[in-house]
């Protein structure tokens, strides 16, 4: 079976969960090979092998971290030319999409972004028009490069050979035009990142004030979830803008999405409607979010949410 390259999303050699999801997906499409680029890349080899990577292409060239994404696209394009894989899977985050697009231009192949599934025939499913329509697309020219959203596949361990192959990269002047001048480590609490969390609890205008997010956070913590917010809540300054879910915020696709005091405007839905299970808590039984919800709770969130958190606590023992 032809190789399917998976671009590894990692920090200093520690792969993020989406990498394991993509390797699991790649196993259904061909022989998975991981591509690990940048500082600490070789440290990822054993970890990606545990999810089926037969080969691990490693490149730790300094340029990969010293400059913005262009050198990564150059190495990926070089590998596509050398290996002639059946497809390339890339995490559908901001950096992944830019690397994928640049690599597609360099290789002359087609690209599909924001897929939530890929069949063995390389037909990708994508939600479009703010998630209101699902389309099936297939790349018609060259090696397909497909960016896949986090949480589209459940990661399943399966040992692969994990044979490491060092890649020697050559960069052109155009690959090194945008230099990284500083890096600031994002201050994070103990919660998972919104983009790849398996469970997301979001609050909206219904929480009433910044303090209202307290019960949303407590519910999230009882489930090990990330916290999201509607734009009404972030615009009001109740929660940080980077936690906004929706058309002009982040797109999430968790196993479970709990919308607390959110009406379900089309722009909010655009960022969460591919979630596997949606629970809505709203005091208005006519709120549009209920059209989308798998489970709806009609009631005052200040009564319902603490009860829900308490019940979860009891069941966890
Ligand atoms: C170009 C554009 C882009 C946009 N992008 C985004 C985006 O990315 N993300 C986004 O979210 N929005 C976005 N919006 C805004 C969007 O249209 C809505 O205005 C917004 O999503 C509404 O947020 P909300 O549901 O929190 O507030 P509301 O629509 O005001 O809904 C609040 C809900 O809380 C319920 N509620 C109130 N009190 C309680 C209570 N005590 N208990 C239970 N329920 C209660 C109410 O019944 C109501 O349904 C965008 C708009 C535009 C024009």
């Amino acid at each position: 079976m032809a190789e399917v390259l998976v671009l590894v999303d990692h920090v200093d050699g520690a792969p993020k969960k989406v990498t394991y999801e993509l390797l699991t997906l790649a196993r259904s499409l061909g022989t998975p090979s991981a591509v690990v680029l940048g500082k600490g890349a070789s440290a990822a080899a054993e970890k990606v092998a545990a999810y089926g990577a037969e080969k691990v292409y490693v490149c730790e060239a300094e340029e990969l971290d010293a400059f913005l994404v262009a050198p990564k696209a150059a190495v990926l394009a070089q590998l596509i030319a050398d290996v002639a894989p059946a497809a390339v899977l890339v995490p559908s985050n901001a950096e992944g999409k830019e690397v994928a697009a640049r690599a597609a231009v360099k290789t002359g192949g087609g690209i599909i972004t924001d897929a939530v599934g890929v069949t063995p025939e390389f037909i990708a499913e994508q939600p479009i028009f703010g998630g209101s329509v699902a389309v099936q697309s297939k790349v018609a020219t060259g090696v397909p490069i497909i960016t896949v959203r986090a949480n589209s596949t459940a990661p399943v361990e399966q040992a692969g050979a994990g044979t490491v192959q060092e890649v020697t990269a050559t960069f052109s002047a155009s690959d090194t035009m945008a230099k990284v001048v500083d890096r600031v480590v994002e201050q994070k609490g103990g919660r998972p990142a919104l983009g790849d969390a398996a469970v997301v609890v979001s609050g909206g205008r219904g929480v009433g004030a910044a303090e209202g997010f307290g019960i949303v956070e407590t519910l999230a913590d009882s489930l090990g979830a990330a916290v999201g917010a509607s734009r009404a809540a972030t615009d009001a300054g109740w929660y940080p803008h980077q936690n906004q879910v929706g058309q002009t915020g982040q797109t999430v696709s968790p196993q479970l999405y709990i919308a607390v005091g959110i009406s379900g405007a089309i722009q909010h839905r655009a960022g969460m409607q591919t979630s596997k299970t949606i629970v809505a808590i709203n005091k208005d039984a006519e709120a549009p979010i209920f059209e989308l919800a798998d489970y709806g709770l009609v009631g005052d969130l200040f009564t319902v949410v603490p009860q829900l958190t308490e019940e979860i606590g009891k069941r966890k023992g």
Side-chain angles (χ1 to χ4, degrees):
M1 277 208 287
E3 284 179 57
V4 174
L5 301 184
V6 171
L7 183 63
V8 173
D9 189 359
H10 72 105
V11 178
D12 296 337
K16 296 194 182 159
K17 182 170 147 266
V18 66
T19 296
Y20 303 134
E21 296 167 7
L22 264 52
L23 284 167
T24 305
L25 177 62
R27 298 204 305 260
S28 66
L29 308 173
T31 305
S33 296
V35 179
V36 205
L37 307 177
K39 192 158 75 73
S42 44
E46 223 173 275
K47 296 172 189 120
V48 294
Y51 284 82
E54 294 296 333
K55 281 189 193 161
V56 186
Y57 296 104
V58 167
C59 182
E60 293 183 304
E62 271 179 27
E63 289 86 343
L64 292 163
D65 293 293
F67 299 91
L68 292 180
V69 295
K72 289 183 181 157
V75 179
L76 189 60
Q78 187 186 315
L79 269 171
I80 293 170
D82 293 349
V83 175
V88 182
L89 304 182
V90 177
S92 208
N93 49 34
E95 178 172 308
K97 284 195 260 194
E98 191 174 344
V99 171
R102 285 172 180 263
V105 170
K106 283 176 185 286
T107 56
I111 175 171
I112 294 172
T113 56
D114 278 328
V116 291
V118 184
T119 71
E121 293 75 37
F122 299 103
I123 297 168
E125 179 170 331
Q126 282 168 292
I128 60 159
F129 297 140
S132 54
V133 176
V135 291
Q136 270 80 35
S137 321
K138 188 170 179 173
V139 164
T141 306
V143 174
I145 301 182
I146 304 172
T147 77
V148 183
R149 283 188 187 169
N151 293 308
S152 298
T153 308
V156 179
E157 285 192 51
Q158 182 183 301
T163 311
V164 174
Q165 211 164 303
E166 300 281 345
V167 179
T168 312
T170 46
F171 300 107
S172 66
S174 66
D175 294 329
T176 52
M177 280 167 62
K179 197 169 169 23
V180 176
V181 291
D182 194 12
R183 281 195 159 79
V184 179
V185 179
E186 192 188 347
Q187 292 302 314
K188 279 189 192 162
R191 297 193 185 99
L194 187 56
D196 49 25
V199 182
V200 174
V201 182
S202 289
R205 204 192 315 259
V207 307
E211 298 71 43
F213 266 88
I215 57 168
V216 174
E217 289 184 331
T218 313
L219 174 59
D221 291 343
S222 75
L223 293 163
V227 176
S230 73
R231 182 159 157 184
T234 59
D235 280 354
W238 299 347
Y239 220 66
H241 275 285
Q242 63 262 32
N243 293 65
Q244 183 186 312
V245 172
Q247 190 183 313
T248 44
Q250 293 206 49
T251 300
V252 298
S253 199
Q255 297 296 325
L256 174 63
Y257 187 88
I258 304 182
V260 180
I262 292 177
S263 60
I266 183 76
Q267 296 89 353
H268 187 79
R269 291 174 179 217
M272 47 64 76
Q273 64 185 356
T274 53
S275 305
K276 307 291 175 298
T277 301
I278 297 170
V279 176
I281 301 168
N282 199 302
K283 68 177 182 187
D284 175 9
E286 302 296 321
I289 192 78
F290 288 125
E291 293 162 15
L292 195 67
D294 298 286
Y295 299 94
L297 274 151
V298 180
D300 188 323
L301 66 92
F302 294 102
T303 311
V304 172
V305 173
Q307 284 178 6
L308 186 57
T309 308
E310 194 187 334
E311 190 58 34
I312 291 165
K314 277 189 209 154
R315 293 197 185 191
K316 278 165 55 182

